[in-house]
Amino acid sequence: MTQEWVTKVIDEIAQFGKRDCGIYREAFSEADDKARNYIIELMKQVGLKVRTDEIGNIIGRLEVGDNKAPAVVTGSHLDTVPGGSKYDGVIGVVGGLAAILRLKERKVTQPLELIVFAAEESSRFMFATMGSKAMIGRSNINSWRKAKDKNDISFVEVMSSRGLDINNIDKAARSKDAIKAFVELHIEQGNTLVSKPAAIGIVDVVAAPTRLKITVDGLANYSGTTPMNIRRDALVSASMIVLAIQEIALEQSYYGTVATVGALKVHPGAINVIPGQVEMWVDIRGVNHSSIIECLQEIKDAVSTVAEGQDTSMSIEMLSSEKPVEMDKEVAKIIENVCDSKGLSYVQMNSGAGHDAMNMAFLAPTGMIFIPSYNDISHCADEYATPNDIETGIQVLTETLFQLAK
Amino acid sequence: MTQEWVTKVIDEIAQFGKRDCGIYREAFSEADDKARNYIIELMKQVGLKVRTDEIGNIIGRLEVGDNKAPAVVTGSHLDTVPGGSKYDGVIGVVGGLAAILRLKERKVTQPLELIVFAAEESSRFMFATMGSKAMIGRSNINSWRKAKDKNDISFVEVMSSRGLDINNIDKAARSKDAIKAFVELHIEQGNTLVSKPAAIGIVDVVAAPTRLKITVDGLANYSGTTPMNIRRDALVSASMIVLAIQEIALEQSYYGTVATVGALKVHPGAINVIPGQVEMWVDIRGVNHSSIIECLQEIKDAVSTVAEGQDTSMSIEMLSSEKPVEMDKEVAKIIENVCDSKGLSYVQMNSGAGHDAMNMAFLAPTGMIFIPSYNDISHCADEYATPNDIETGIQVLTETLFQLAK
């Protein structure tokens, strides 16, 4: 599987959900279905045995070596954020497939697997890495049952329209015996590798997102006739919270902690009605656990202060809060040796973004390989990876998988 | 038409678009259609000659007196804001119909008309009093052609689905010769009458809304990996503008000016993406024109300052800006005399809200009669009018129309 083949497959997948500005391939959307069906067909064509589990993870297996031995696994995801890039997740899927196929001719003793995880991005249902969470038996069924997207379509509904039953999700869990190691290839989504510069990033710690939903309740009233001094405008309070969160995160940025209000909805949202309610979603990341805790505490304090000062009640719902996850030191050492043997520059680094690898680390020794990302100058702010960097990443992945499976 | 009949008709109309929390009867919605069809049938049943004009205004005429003489006209609207009340607009329609029918037995020399104006509320297409604007020949066709609702459904599309052609809107314009006077009965939507207290408000000046759309362009980027200090978060800038507008309006509130950011949309609006763009809609009201101008200037200054400080570009689009409109002094005097003759307390007051009367004043001498509104204590904040206050308003309207048409 040549570099040209990889470029071609990435470009073909980029057609699914393509819009003027970025790719819209949200989890379990029609575009996501198309991309998934495309990869299932491709995996079958090149000789993988393919199955889909109870949450929709696609598992393609190359039965080489001792088929009863634990598999050496790679993979990533195909869903995107709204207006996402063609590389995020896709490089790990296509590069993972290329790596497995390149190992077909070499003597490996362990079966090889490519996993395309379902619903890695949280943008649709506000829960991240749902597929890999289900695979490690840590699905959050009670909350997932209540999850709805922007259009009020529930996760349960979406699953059922694809023949999946939320009550069966537990069956997607795999045993530790089944997997020897997991390695994920991914675009960096940051500027560490470009600014160093280095060809490869070897991930040390993956930051897990802490996520909150803050609901502000004010009083909806007619905008034309309600005097300014008696208003209880939920958007005014929400704006104060947005700025407080920005301030708090700036203070904590020394520890690499970041916080973002990415989504905010105003109700009723009419030009002539004072906002009565605002819902906002906050994403906090970092690799320093105590900095995240401090950030959280300060956000709670700000919420109390604003709620009291503005006479708008506020509630905070914790959607997820997980500790940063360390990658396996031995797998990292193997990746390092591969880079050395190829004369490639590399750097040990943290991942600010969450990844399926962060969950897979609970099942098996896990590593992550980053390749550089460049920011597109268009207003879509798409990230860009050069074909040569992708090829380098695939070569490092191939050799790492070989060392683990030989 | 008794007080009981009025209560019954208001309650029946309240069923169209009724939800758990308030009434959703947005302009040209299915619920609005139902309410409009209901009133058309009712008007026909009680003997009015009904026609619908080129923008969907319903005109019901009682051909009494000299049918060639200019009509004495009353009316209001049936559309609501999302989660609106059952009284806003409806009292003027049902009360207007009751008043006309009560005059059937009395000797009037002029024909009487009830108009149900289309799209009075701006919440759907961001343009207010579209029906009455079309009737006075001041429709804003170029902007209306581009208008879309939240679901991206265009005004043109919505009209055409109801057999109306935007190119014909000009034909809805009526001549000054056709109308002798216009009087609108409306709930106050404020607390002046309750706090005085007074039974009737006689409107002096109607504040016209000045409306802006502000678009903030930042840079969408992944929330997990973009350091705080290099972000260009459109929502952070937008929050600063929300607070600046609140501050500016508080300063101008001495002049009765108010400003509200009622709607705000975040793009792409995903929990893990830094907001790349925010659109926000601002509504400024007042009866003091120079205070509104000062408010506008200060908002523009704040936008420039934040745009520069945050490295996010911003643009301001003026959606509407009209001067406050004075009601006719002679019509006001007639209403005053009617109140005196009935021994009713009344107060001269301004209307912070815009009304169709504000447009009709360009066609004919126009007056407005307000009745008290009470705030519901539920979280829906619905306004409430007592059946007795409604009856008093109808009696004043009836007698005023009689004085104009006798």
Side-chain angles (χ1 to χ4, degrees), chain B residues 22-71:
Chain B
I23 293 166
Y24 284 71
R25 202 161 58 221
E26 289 186 278
F28 297 103
S29 64
E30 217 178 295
D32 187 33
D33 289 344
K34 282 185 184 159
R36 291 163 49 83
N37 289 336
Y38 169 91
I39 205 77
I40 289 173
E41 282 316 306
L42 185 60
M43 285 157 87
K44 284 182 182 166
Q45 273 171 31
V46 295
L48 268 60
K49 215 169 143 179
V50 184
R51 70 178 178 94
T52 302
D53 73 8
E54 289 75 4
I55 194 171
N57 294 316
I58 302 164
I59 302 161
R61 190 169 165 105
L62 187 68
E63 301 199 331
V64 283
D66 173 7
N67 198 35
K68 294 214 177 95

Side-chain angles (χ1 to χ4, degrees), chain A residues 121 189 225 231 260 272 353, chain B residues 121 189 222 225 231 260 272 353:
Chain A
E121 299 289 0
Q189 301 172 277
T225 48
R231 294 177 173 212
T260 311
N272 55 350
Chain B
E121 298 289 358
Q189 299 173 280
Y222 188 60
T225 48
R231 293 178 173 211
T260 312
N272 55 351

Side-chain angles (χ1 to χ4, degrees), chain A residues 21-195:
Chain A
C21 198
I23 292 166
Y24 284 71
R25 202 162 59 221
E26 289 185 278
F28 297 103
S29 64
E30 216 178 296
D32 187 35
D33 289 343
K34 282 184 184 160
R36 292 162 50 84
N37 290 335
Y38 169 93
I39 206 77
I40 288 173
E41 282 315 305
L42 185 61
M43 284 157 88
K44 285 180 180 167
Q45 271 169 34
V46 296
L48 268 59
K49 216 170 141 176
V50 184
R51 70 177 177 96
T52 302
D53 73 9
E54 288 76 4
I55 192 171
N57 294 315
I58 303 163
I59 302 161
R61 190 170 164 103
L62 188 68
E63 301 199 329
V64 285
D66 173 6
N67 198 35
K68 296 216 175 92
V72 170
V73 183
T74 185
S76 197
H77 62 98
L78 290 179
D79 64 320
T80 74
V81 295
S85 90
K86 67 197 244 193
Y87 302 106
D88 183 346
V90 178
I91 286 177
V93 171
V94 181
L97 183 56
I100 288 177
L101 297 174
R102 287 176 191 184
L103 290 177
K104 233 177 170 174
E105 313 304 323
R106 296 170 71 181
K107 203 182 148 28
V108 296
T109 63
Q110 244 97 0
L112 298 167
E113 281 187 11
L114 173 70
I115 304 181
V116 181
F117 294 100
E120 196 266 351
E121 299 289 0
S122 53
S123 33
R124 181 157 186 194
F125 293 107
M126 306 289 171
F127 291 96
T129 62
M130 296 173 95
S132 52
K133 276 201 189 99
M135 187 171 285
I136 66 167
R138 293 192 178 200
S139 55
N140 195 346
I141 300 279
N142 289 336
S143 301
W144 294 2
R145 248 185 241 287
K146 289 181 276 178
K148 288 185 175 184
D149 70 7
K150 266 188 221 178
N151 301 318
D152 250 14
I153 302 171
S154 72
F155 176 62
V156 174
E157 215 173 318
V158 145
M159 282 197 76
S160 121
S161 73
R162 275 139 186 96
L164 299 169
D165 181 348
I166 194 164
N167 299 309
N168 291 336
I169 276 187
D170 283 348
K171 296 185 189 149
R174 296 182 75 177
S175 111
K176 289 191 178 190
D177 303 340
I179 299 175
K180 186 187 172 190
F182 178 79
V183 186
E184 182 170 359
L185 174 65
H186 207 282
I187 189 166
E188 185 204 334
Q189 301 172 277
N191 60 359
T192 305
L193 296 178
V194 169
S195 61

Side-chain angles (χ1 to χ4, degrees), chain B residues 197-374:
Chain B
I200 293 290
I202 303 172
V203 177
D204 202 16
V205 179
V206 178
T210 297
R211 286 172 169 178
L212 313 173
K213 181 183 170 190
I214 303 177
T215 306
V216 185
D217 283 296
L219 190 63
N221 228 325
Y222 188 60
S223 67
T225 48
T226 313
M228 296 307 294
N229 60 346
I230 66 161
R231 293 178 173 211
R232 289 166 51 209
D233 184 327
L235 182 57
V236 167
S237 298
S239 297
M240 291 175 176
I241 296 300
V242 170
L243 297 182
I245 289 172
Q246 170 81 356
E247 202 54 48
I248 291 163
L250 276 167
E251 275 167 29
Q252 294 291 326
S253 57
Y254 172 78
Y255 302 100
T257 305
V258 293
T260 312
V261 181
L264 183 149
K265 276 196 213 170
V266 179
H267 306 280
I271 193 169
N272 55 351
V273 181
I274 297 165
Q277 190 186 61
V278 170
E279 298 172 287
M280 52 209 283
W281 285 266
V282 188
D283 175 280
I284 306 166
R285 313 278 184 114
V287 290
N288 182 316
H289 191 57
S290 58
S291 163
I292 294 173
I293 298 295
E294 201 169 320
C295 210
L296 260 181
Q297 192 50 53
E298 286 184 28
I299 291 174
K300 283 181 186 166
D301 290 350
V303 162
S304 306
T305 309
V306 172
E308 201 181 316
Q310 299 295 309
D311 195 15
T312 50
S313 64
M314 297 203 199
S315 64
I316 302 182
E317 186 186 345
M318 188 73 91
L319 299 178
S320 69
S321 78
E322 284 155 32
K323 283 193 183 175
V325 178
E326 283 183 31
M327 296 290 97
D328 185 74
K329 297 226 181 318
E330 282 177 40
V331 174
K333 188 70 201 164
I334 293 173
I335 302 171
E336 213 179 301
N337 291 343
V338 168
C339 290
D340 281 336
S341 72
K342 291 182 178 294
L344 293 168
S345 57
Y346 62 86
V347 56
Q348 255 115 6
M349 61 181 293
N350 295 325
S351 168
H355 293 287
D356 292 307
M358 159 184 102
N359 295 321
M360 294 304 281
F362 289 92
L363 269 194
T366 291
M368 279 202 87
I369 300 166
F370 275 175
I371 62 165
S373 56
Y374 298 84

Side-chain angles (χ1 to χ4, degrees), chain A residues 95 110 117-118 120 210 213 260 308 366 389 397 399:
Chain A
Q110 244 97 0
F117 294 100
E120 196 266 351
T210 297
K213 180 183 171 191
T260 311
E308 200 181 314
T366 291
D389 284 347
L397 175 66
E399 211 49 40

